[in-house]
Amino acid sequence: DQFEEFFFNNKEIDGRQQFYEFLEECVKISFVNVIISLREDFIYYLLEYNRNVNLDFINRDILSKNYIYYIGDFSIEDAKSIIQGITAQTTFTLAPELIDELVKDLAGGLKTVRPIELQIVGSQLQNENITTLVEYQEKGPKQAFVGRYLEEVIKYCGRSEEHTSELQSHS
């Protein structure tokens, strides 16, 4: 998640090269698959990776459609299915009517659900132990959950970074 931060924190090629070499060794292992989730505007770093390691086993073409998969917004049905699938594996169970309202709220007028919003709001539901539609309506909507999530992130940054974080979240 948010793999782009690696590139923010490693602005010089030397820092990235060490990682590229590690990845090269990983992908040589027959039973290892490497999955990297990366925003489209950072894909050009894969070209750098392509140039700096031996990728003969994929014909030096990491940008091929055989290796890159687009992950976009979820349909309403897919979002419901994802929520049900994730919660079925845990003791944290959401009422079916809450799932319906949550997905409707997340989809808005677009009729699709952004994965990051699903992740943030889902995390907040779990953090606040909200499992029913009534609890969701009392503490929602989506913007309220995202706002509380951002407040937690700002607090986590610490006092010295709080002002900067607040300025950036308003811009």
Side-chain angles (χ1 to χ4, degrees), residues 8 13 18 25 28 40 50 54 65 85 87 90 100 108-109 115 125-127 131 136 146-147 151 156 160-161:
F8 285 131
I13 184 67
Q18 191 174 22
E25 293 304 312
K28 287 179 183 177
E40 281 182 299
N50 218 31
N54 181 358
K65 290 185 180 197
T87 57
T90 69
D100 290 341
L125 290 177
Q126 188 170 8
N127 290 346
T131 59
Y136 179 80
V146 172
E151 287 172 9
Y156 179 77
S160 62
E161 300 296 327

Side-chain angles (χ1 to χ4, degrees), residues 43-103:
I43 295 275
Y44 67 93
Y45 280 106
L46 294 179
L47 290 171
E48 180 180 77
Y49 175 64
N50 218 31
R51 287 189 306 268
N52 289 299
V53 299
N54 181 358
L55 295 176
D56 289 342
F57 65 95
I58 59 170
N59 297 321
R60 301 194 64 77
D61 189 14
I62 197 166
L63 296 177
S64 163
K65 290 185 180 197
N66 294 327
Y67 307 108
I68 290 187
Y69 302 94
Y70 172 76
I71 300 174
D73 293 349
F74 301 128
S75 70
I76 289 174
E77 296 77 27
D78 287 344
K80 285 181 184 180
S81 177
I82 289 166
I83 293 168
Q84 291 163 343
I86 290 171
T87 57
Q89 299 172 17
T90 69
T91 58
F92 184 72
T93 306
L94 301 178
E97 59 274 5
L98 169 56
I99 294 173
D100 290 341
E101 184 65 24
L102 171 63
V103 170

Side-chain angles (χ1 to χ4, degrees), residues 107-126:
L110 299 177
K111 304 295 183 208
T112 60
V113 176
R114 294 178 59 208
I116 189 68
E117 287 184 355
L118 178 59
Q119 179 183 357
I120 289 171
V121 174
S123 173
Q124 283 305 110
L125 290 177
Q126 188 170 8

